[in-house]
Amino acid sequence: MDESVNSAKRIARLAGWLYLLLAITGAYSVMYVPAQIMVQGDPVTTAQNMLACEFLFRTGVVSNLIAGAVFVFLVMTLHRLLKQVNMHLAKTMVALVIVAVSIGFLGNICKFTALMLLKGNLAGSFEPDQVYDLVALFLKIDAYGIEISQLYWGLWLFPFGLLVYRSGFIPRILGLLLIVNGVAYIILYLTFVLFPDYISVVYKFGTPFMAIGEIPTMFWLLINGAKRID
């Protein structure tokens, strides 16, 4: 019995470390790099920044690919930890993450294609203005992909939250917060699709809820592992 408990703790702490790595690589690629390069409504300046900061742009693509791989390893580790709680929910959690990661990989193809266009590798006989328009198009497709991914970033937290709630070795409150976290992502996605004029307002008030469950769960797994809750 003690050996099984120790094994669960090791698996839970591994999940915590993977969660932390996902947070770092994801934030770098989705938040930091775009903030340094992308200029809203100015495709020419954005393109110039991509060329001037090409290595930074490339590190963003690499970091995003690493984040996707880590996300898969994370959900498989969580599946191993929580499958005894409910196998169906654990499998559903994995399937939703695979969809989210697949969308992210397609976005990286768009970003790399945009860079190759700027460097003249794919431009052919296009005029400079046409190249800028194509680059802006591919970057916009990537941005739309991120918005769509939010649906799956939210959906996977429902089975994860339910598994945590029922587990008995992770606090139930964390399971509830994970579900709230998931609802926030889904609301942002639905606003983007159905009410795009209000997306900035929803982002402003919804952003705090986008990490309300995942961050404390990550730290619980890192610090406590799988600890029986009385």
Side-chain angles (χ1 to χ4, degrees):
M1 183 68 176
D2 289 341
E3 181 59 32
S4 63
V5 171
N6 289 334
S7 177
K9 285 185 177 181
R10 288 194 297 270
I11 296 170
R13 288 204 170 101
L14 173 60
W17 283 111
L18 288 170
Y19 227 140
L20 180 61
L21 181 57
L22 173 62
I24 294 170
T25 53
Y28 180 82
S29 61
V30 175
M31 299 171 64
Y32 177 76
V33 173
Q36 306 305 309
I37 294 176
M38 308 301 177
V39 180
Q40 186 70 27
D42 191 343
V44 176
T45 302
T46 296
Q48 291 171 346
N49 289 344
M50 286 172 62
L51 290 175
C53 306
E54 181 179 343
F55 183 74
L56 177 65
F57 185 83
R58 287 175 180 271
T59 62
V61 174
V62 171
S63 182
N64 195 265
L65 290 170
I66 292 173
V70 171
F71 203 178
V72 173
F73 286 123
L74 168 62
V75 77
M76 293 306 298
T77 303
L78 290 172
H79 177 275
R80 184 181 174 192
L81 177 68
L82 297 167
K83 64 183 180 180
Q84 72 272 17
V85 178
N86 186 296
M87 178 62 79
H88 177 71
L89 286 174
K91 289 181 177 179
T92 301
M93 176 179 66
V94 172
L96 291 168
V97 168
I98 295 300
V99 175
V101 170
S102 300
I103 295 172
F105 284 161
L106 290 174
N108 283 307
I109 293 173
C110 289
K111 283 187 285 191
F112 205 75
T113 301
L115 180 61
M116 292 301 100
L117 279 166
L118 278 178
K119 292 177 68 66
N121 294 348
L122 303 174
S125 60
F126 291 126
E127 296 295 326
D129 288 345
Q130 293 175 316
V131 172
Y132 291 142
D133 289 341
L134 284 170
V135 168
L137 173 63
F138 279 107
L139 293 178
K140 181 62 71 173
I141 292 172
D142 171 55
Y144 288 158
I146 292 173
E147 296 291 346
I148 292 171
S149 292
Q150 289 185 9
L151 173 64
Y152 295 94
W153 294 348
L155 287 175
W156 91 279
L157 293 175
F158 282 85
F160 183 26
L162 287 171
L163 288 166
V164 166
Y165 185 83
R166 298 177 184 179
S167 68
F169 52 79
I170 302 174
R172 286 189 168 188
I173 185 62
L174 293 179
L176 296 175
L177 290 176
L178 285 167
I179 293 172
V180 172
N181 201 151
V183 170
Y185 273 122
I186 292 173
I187 288 174
L188 286 170
Y189 164 77
L190 292 176
T191 303
F192 170 75
V193 174
L194 301 175
F195 310 104
D197 292 339
Y198 299 96
I199 190 65
S200 59
V201 176
V202 175
Y203 261 113
K204 180 179 179 181
F205 292 100
T207 297
F209 294 98
M210 293 167 66
I212 196 171
E214 291 189 273
I215 289 180
T217 300
M218 177 186 73
F219 282 113
W220 172 271
L221 293 172
L222 273 172
I223 297 168
N224 295 292
K227 182 178 180 182
R228 190 73 198 174
I229 306 299
D230 296 325

